[in-house]
Amino acid sequence: MNPSEWFTEQAAGAGSAFSLKIKQKLHEEQSDFQFLEIYETETFGNLMVIDGCTMVSTRDNFFYHEMMSHPALFTHPAPKRVWIIGGGDCGTLKEVLKHDSVEQAIQIDIDERVTRLAEIYFPELCESNNDPRAELKFIDGIKWVKDAEPNSVDIIIVDSTDPVGPAEGLFSKAFYRDCFNCLSEHGMVVQQSESALFHLKLLGEMRDAMGSAGFDHLQTLFFPQCLYPSGWWSATIASKASLAKFRELDSANKPFDTTYYNIDIHRAALAQPEFFKKAFSLS
Ligand code: AG3
């Protein structure tokens, strides 16, 4: 096997790696914020890598983008205003805009180059970018949330890279506090929360930070994502209001197509593994 034909991401500390066989490297650049690479793979379509970490592949991004969006949007009673912090590839934005209740979806990614590359190499993720409800901003999401007025948004989705480099501040209590302050009554934050198998400590710190920022209701959802370390990923919702129920009827009758999400997947994603319950004293 010629290693140069493979892209490999090693999971630091986990003694594990994930590789994809590549046909060719399509692009690389150092943006003002991070090192961006695009590969054409043998079997996963195109692959975007940021600072050595896999972000999106054509073939399997639907798991992540659907699970970052639909569970929260079908839990909030009436989500009208949604912000996506990060998410520059526009895949989360596309899923959010599938909801008719959404009147405004603002994507705030610090790095415009991610979106410009997604437009070229992942055009299917960018197909809703011209929706009149969509707005794309290329500024610092941490500052955007800090400066926002109270009651200016219903759901904040944090579609970030790992908590190193530009995304580090997105995992802090100060950031969650700023989110809490600008969210409406039933407001919620949804954040990608890494792998419960590989990054349990980080997940615990994140949940603690969310709780101490004022969010009384937390829910971690689990889903497969073979591109990311361990192949088993999570998103965590921190909410002002109870998360005990979601809008099951609306989920069951969703008027749009999805590839992974449906009402049964939603229910299943809420199930908490034994080790997870023990780690965080959940009932
Ligand atoms: N967000 C990145 C998830 C973290 C992946 N981590 C890793 N490969 N080590 C993905 C952006 C998709 N919109």
Side-chain angles (χ1 to χ4, degrees), residues 198-255:
F198 285 3
H199 315 112
L200 193 63
K201 184 164 167 281
L202 173 86
L203 243 158
E205 287 163 3
M206 216 181 120
R207 290 173 58 102
D208 284 350
M210 288 169 156
S212 60
F215 292 101
D216 287 335
H217 307 274
L218 301 181
Q219 171 78 58
T220 298
L221 298 101
F222 301 91
F223 53 90
Q225 186 68 56
C226 83
L227 198 61
Y228 296 163
S230 86
W232 186 52
W233 216 244
S234 71
T236 297
I237 304 181
S239 174
K240 291 189 176 186
S242 168
L243 291 167
K245 292 203 179 95
F246 65 100
R247 291 188 285 113
E248 298 205 358
L249 209 58
D250 292 339
S251 167
N253 297 314
K254 65 181 173 57

Side-chain angles (χ1 to χ4, degrees), residues 122-143:
F122 299 89
E124 71 285 3
L125 299 183
C126 298
E127 63 194 20
S128 301
N129 289 7
N130 294 326
D131 185 306
R133 299 170 295 161
E135 204 179 314
L136 274 59
K137 292 185 185 294
F138 302 106
I139 53 172
D140 180 0
I142 296 176
K143 184 168 183 322

Side-chain angles (χ1 to χ4, degrees), residues 35 105 136 141 172 178 185 189 255:
F35 187 61
L136 274 59
S172 71
D178 292 337
E185 196 190 342
V189 178

Side-chain angles (χ1 to χ4, degrees), residues 94-276:
K94 178 182 155 188
E95 295 305 315
V96 166
L97 289 166
K98 289 180 177 176
H99 291 254
D100 289 339
S101 69
V102 171
E103 294 170 358
Q104 179 195 51
I106 309 180
Q107 177 186 295
I108 304 121
D109 195 300
I110 200 163
D111 195 347
E112 178 168 0
R113 290 303 302 154
V114 174
T115 301
R116 298 300 162 229
L117 293 177
E119 286 167 346
I120 299 168
Y121 298 107
F122 299 89
E124 71 285 3
L125 299 183
C126 298
E127 63 194 20
S128 301
N129 289 7
N130 294 326
D131 185 306
R133 299 170 295 161
E135 204 179 314
L136 274 59
K137 292 185 185 294
F138 302 106
I139 53 172
D140 180 0
I142 296 176
K143 184 168 183 322
W144 169 263
V145 169
K146 198 184 176 68
D147 294 345
E149 298 289 322
N151 189 24
S152 43
V153 60
D154 301 315
I155 299 183
I156 300 175
I157 302 177
V158 188
D159 181 2
S160 68
T161 49
D162 295 342
V164 281
E168 201 175 343
L170 296 172
F171 290 75
S172 71
K173 180 181 164 190
F175 172 70
Y176 300 134
R177 189 74 215 165
D178 292 337
C179 291
F180 189 92
N181 290 337
C182 66
L183 280 164
S184 56
E185 196 190 342
H186 294 273
M188 53 183 81
V189 178
V190 191
Q191 182 159 24
Q192 77 88 1
S193 48
E194 312 277 310
S195 164
L197 187 65
F198 285 3
H199 315 112
L200 193 63
K201 184 164 167 281
L202 173 86
L203 243 158
E205 287 163 3
M206 216 181 120
R207 290 173 58 102
D208 284 350
M210 288 169 156
S212 60
F215 292 101
D216 287 335
H217 307 274
L218 301 181
Q219 171 78 58
T220 298
L221 298 101
F222 301 91
F223 53 90
Q225 186 68 56
C226 83
L227 198 61
Y228 296 163
S230 86
W232 186 52
W233 216 244
S234 71
T236 297
I237 304 181
S239 174
K240 291 189 176 186
S242 168
L243 291 167
K245 292 203 179 95
F246 65 100
R247 291 188 285 113
E248 298 205 358
L249 209 58
D250 292 339
S251 167
N253 297 314
K254 65 181 173 57
F256 52 80
D257 281 339
T258 44
T259 308
Y260 182 64
Y261 177 89
N262 59 36
I263 184 169
D264 295 322
I265 291 289
H266 189 150
R267 288 196 188 111
L270 300 175
Q272 309 285 290
E274 283 304 303
F275 78 89
F276 195 80

Side-chain angles (χ1 to χ4, degrees), residues 9 53-56 64-65 87-92 159-162 192 194 227-229 233:
E9 177 185 343
C53 293
T54 56
M55 289 292 128
V56 173
Y64 177 94
H65 288 136
D89 54 61
C90 306
T92 299
D159 181 2
S160 68
T161 49
D162 295 342
Q192 77 88 1
E194 312 277 310
L227 198 61
Y228 296 163
W233 216 244

